[in-house]
Amino acid sequence: MIKKPKKYSVFSLVRNALSYHENWQPAWRNPEIKKNYDAIIVGGGGHGLTTAYYLAKNHGIKNIAVIEKGWIGGGNTGRNTTIIRSNYLWDQSAALYEHALKLWEGMSQELNYNVMFSQRGVMNVAHNLHDVRELKRRWNANRLNDIDCEWLNTEQVKKFCPVINTSPNIRYPVLGATLQRRAGTARHDAVAWGYARGADAMGVDIIQNCEVTGINVSNGNVTGIETTKGTINSKKIGVVSAGHTSVIAKMAGIKLPLESRPLQALVSEPVKPVIDTVVMSNTIHAYVSQSDKGELVIGAGTDGYNSYTQRGGFNIVEDTIMAIVELFPIFSRMKMLRHWGGIVDICPDASPIISKTHINGLYFNCGWGTGGFKATPGSGWVFAHTIANDQPHALNAPFSINRFSSGELVDEHGAAAVAH
Amino acid sequence: MLLINCPYCGEREQEEFSCGGEAHIERPKNPPELSDDQWADYLFLRQNIKGLQFERWNHSFGCRKWFNVARNTATDEILAVYHIDEKPPQLESNDPITPCGEPKIGSGNFSTTKK
């Protein structure tokens, strides 16, 4: 029997303070692996954990294992720049990301876990006539999809974010921006921990440090997986392994339209509050926000070649910093503290694949590329539906693997506010 | 950053090059005869290997010529550089021990000039 975890509250905080915070319970169990599960999720990142959580909560499938090669919060969930928004151009993407944004809005309460979701607004800056036209088009598309979005002119941009350089004499002057006020940031690893705790409380087994080495298929049906901790049987397997999806797919003889590339990010030394929103620029490809600790969180573009090394080239960092310093001269003397890379799986149309495969019981949720974090709850929601019912949810039906044969691509390259 | 030994110009920084993706993908001879799946396979599906990959590079800020590179995507180690019309060389790469394991040597910046 699963012991329900203690609810976090101000009283539990006081109670634990009296014992010097030495008696907090672990947020989730460290269970023994069973031989059989109703469903196995490969990959214990945000998307995998939300999938398990919603399978248990919405579909009553509770005998689930989440298999994670490393540790919870150690992959791309803990490596992104935590930006959450839903201002996508195309209807299919807008619906999916907006569903996710609505789940973000109630997440801390639902999970009884503070994910520090902060709706501080995301501003997408235009630097030339083309940007202005593209962003205004997207602003109108968003309004048609009931997604909040505003257009700011240069003066309004300066008023909303005073540290930005709006001089007309810089190489890429600020000509305006779109603003989604409901967008913002969240504490990324808390999201993984919160969903891990929530799933665990419903009986999901979270198995860390366990690597998948093979997928067993018999007569076109999936029967289980081979791992470094032995064989585990299940008739339903959902693969949510981000950058390593192609590696897992190869075990089942499936070829996917994915390319895995390093995506870098870096944070500065912590300073007093200086920027209270998220600023993104497509043209000069940089984005910046400030964490609750005071560090500037800066994201770059992907490196231009396939790699699984979790580090990229220094030239990308240099380009990003150049862009940030021109846009924010006030940051020019700040020191950067940490820098890392994550491996992102990019689809040719920069949209995800949330789909069944030709093997019965084998499902893939991948191809989120550089922008998966914002979709975490929505992705798990629709993927759980797909696994439980063996057919896609209305929201992820357009994101089937078959779109590459039918030609019905959801082309979000550039349309998604930043280039992928 | 990678150091790439352009077969025409010698060793230069990666910033001068653009990667053209997986090499040795042959354009189908009779596109109208292909099924949608076969055409999707040619256009979109990629091996995306973790380990030894053969890929095309273009020295776009140099001689602007195309050539092939054999690189281990698990370590970024460049193992061979060869001409665009050559067949891939027989190579032993330092592949990860398990299918999705991590390589022993980690991910450093490697030069193409091998001893």
Side-chain angles (χ1 to χ4, degrees):
Chain A
M1 192 58 210
I2 311 299
K3 216 176 120 202
K4 246 196 144 35
K6 293 211 172 74
K7 197 169 188 295
Y8 295 144
S9 67
V10 65
F11 303 108
S12 73
L13 191 63
V14 171
R15 197 165 50 245
N16 280 284
L18 294 174
S19 57
Y20 302 97
H21 295 296
E22 285 172 357
N23 293 322
W24 286 103
Q25 298 297 308
W28 60 85
R29 298 164 296 134
N30 194 12
E32 286 294 313
I33 308 181
K34 289 183 259 177
K35 272 270 156 263
N36 295 289
Y37 285 97
D38 293 342
I40 295 174
I41 307 299
V42 178
H47 291 232
L49 292 165
T50 50
T51 305
Y53 178 85
Y54 289 117
L55 269 173
K57 186 171 179 245
N58 295 356
H59 305 283
I61 300 175
K62 297 188 176 173
N63 185 24
I64 307 173
V66 176
I67 308 294
E68 166 58 41
K69 181 175 76 167
W71 66 97
I72 299 300
N76 288 357
T77 306
R79 288 169 184 270
N80 59 75
T81 48
T82 81
I83 299 168
I84 296 155
R85 59 187 176 85
S86 64
N87 55 351
Y88 278 69
L89 177 70
W90 300 113
D91 296 351
Q92 300 95 320
S93 329
L96 183 61
Y97 290 102
E98 179 62 15
H99 178 64
L101 182 53
K102 283 176 179 154
L103 290 170
W104 278 108
E105 287 174 329
M107 190 187 290
S108 290
Q109 285 74 19
E110 183 181 339
L111 295 178
N112 177 229
Y113 204 100
N114 187 2
V115 299
M116 300 183 187
F117 179 47
S118 158
Q119 292 177 294
R120 58 184 67 183
V122 167
M123 210 163 64
N124 292 100
V125 182
H127 299 284
N128 52 44
L129 185 62
H130 174 75
D131 280 1
V132 171
R133 284 177 179 157
E134 274 301 313
L135 287 177
K136 281 191 171 172
R137 178 189 179 203
R138 195 157 54 79
W139 164 44
N140 288 318
N142 289 162
R143 297 304 296 260
L144 287 171
N145 277 319
D146 262 353
I147 291 169
D148 70 306
C149 187
E150 293 165 40
W151 175 259
L152 305 183
N153 63 27
T154 309
E155 292 74 43
Q156 289 167 318
V157 168
K158 184 73 181 170
K159 201 171 164 214
F160 188 72
C161 179
V163 289
I164 201 166
N165 180 9
T166 49
S167 158
N169 299 322
I170 60 175
R171 174 64 184 83
Y172 294 101
V174 175
L175 300 184
T178 58
L179 170 65
Q180 185 181 20
R181 288 186 194 269
R182 283 166 62 239
T185 59
R187 165 123 196 232
H188 49 13
D189 32 21
V191 177
W193 298 334
Y195 273 104
R197 178 169 170 266
D200 178 84
M202 290 185 282
V204 173
D205 285 354
I206 295 166
I207 317 288
Q208 300 181 74
N209 298 310
C210 178
E211 186 179 330
V212 174
T213 54
I215 293 180
N216 300 330
V217 180
S218 146
N219 298 328
N221 299 303
V222 79
T223 56
I225 53 171
E226 298 294 330
T227 73
T228 47
K229 294 184 177 175
T231 308
I232 315 174
N233 300 317
S234 178
K235 289 195 171 100
K236 283 176 186 282
I237 292 169
V239 179
V240 205
S241 51
H244 277 75
T245 304
S246 296
V247 178
I248 304 276
K250 200 175 164 190
M251 297 173 191
I254 293 176
K255 211 169 146 193
L256 291 166
L258 297 175
E259 298 209 66
S260 296
R261 293 182 169 189
L263 176 65
Q264 302 179 74
L266 57 162
V267 295
S268 73
E269 57 190 330
V271 290
K272 286 184 177 177
V274 60
I275 176 166
D276 63 353
T277 185
V278 183
V279 177
M280 310 180 75
S281 166
N282 183 8
T283 299
I284 55 178
H285 213 130
Y287 31 106
V288 62
S289 64
Q290 192 172 17
S291 73
D292 291 347
K293 281 187 282 184
E295 301 155 328
L296 294 181
V297 182
I298 295 169
T302 51
D303 284 71
Y305 54 89
N306 293 12
S307 177
Y308 286 87
T309 56
Q310 291 194 326
R311 63 181 280 180
F314 197 70
N315 52 328
I316 302 283
V317 177
E318 198 178 2
D319 288 349
T320 303
I321 293 295
M322 268 171 10
I324 293 285
V325 169
E326 186 174 70
L327 216 45
F328 300 97
I330 191 175
F331 298 155
S332 65
R333 292 190 182 188
M334 285 185 72
K335 295 183 177 70
M336 293 299 145
L337 279 194
R338 302 192 303 281
H339 156 244
W340 64 91
I343 301 305
V344 298
D345 46 331
I346 299 178
C347 260
D349 59 355
S351 285
I353 298 167
I354 313 164
S355 180
K356 296 165 64 171
T357 61
H358 68 268
I359 298 171
N360 288 329
L362 184 62
Y363 308 89
F364 277 90
N365 182 353
C366 56
W368 289 95
T370 60
F373 178 70
K374 66 176 84 65
T376 303
S379 159
W381 182 286
V382 296
F383 195 44
H385 186 281
T386 309
I387 293 175
N389 300 310
D390 196 37
Q391 59 183 14
H393 189 280
L395 287 174
N396 69 312
F399 299 99
S400 153
I401 180 83
N402 294 333
R403 73 177 189 268
F404 296 96
S405 299
S406 70
E408 242 180 308
L409 304 183
V410 186
D411 189 4
E412 284 287 356
H413 265 295
V418 296
H420 290 259
Chain B
M1 200 187 303
L2 309 173
L3 283 172
I4 299 172
N5 199 358
C6 171
Y8 308 98
C9 309
E11 196 167 85
R12 301 287 182 89
E13 285 185 5
Q14 173 222 324
E15 221 174 352
E16 295 186 14
F17 299 85
S18 345
C19 185
E22 195 180 316
H24 309 296
I25 297 176
E26 214 172 304
R27 188 182 162 84
K29 296 232 159 46
N30 295 307
E33 287 166 21
L34 295 188
S35 70
D36 288 348
D37 285 341
Q38 288 169 318
W39 189 238
D41 185 77
Y42 164 69
L43 272 187
F44 298 123
L45 303 195
R46 296 292 176 263
Q47 295 184 60
N48 198 21
I49 291 167
K50 182 172 186 176
L52 176 62
Q53 165 165 292
F54 301 106
E55 59 193 14
R56 299 173 305 170
W57 283 81
N58 179 245
H59 195 181
S60 38
F61 294 101
C63 62
R64 299 173 67 188
K65 285 189 176 125
W66 285 93
F67 55 91
N68 290 325
V69 170
R71 183 171 58 93
N72 185 342
T73 59
T75 60
D76 278 349
E77 189 179 12
I78 292 176
L79 301 158
V81 173
Y82 55 103
H83 284 95
I84 195 74
D85 54 353
E86 276 181 73
K87 287 214 158 57
Q90 295 289 324
L91 287 168
E92 272 194 30
S93 72
N94 190 1
D95 276 349
I97 305 146
T98 55
C100 53
E102 299 308 325
K104 271 184 183 165
I105 55 172
S107 56
N109 291 333
F110 291 93
S111 161
T112 52
T113 27
K114 304 293 268 179
K115 291 202 178 82

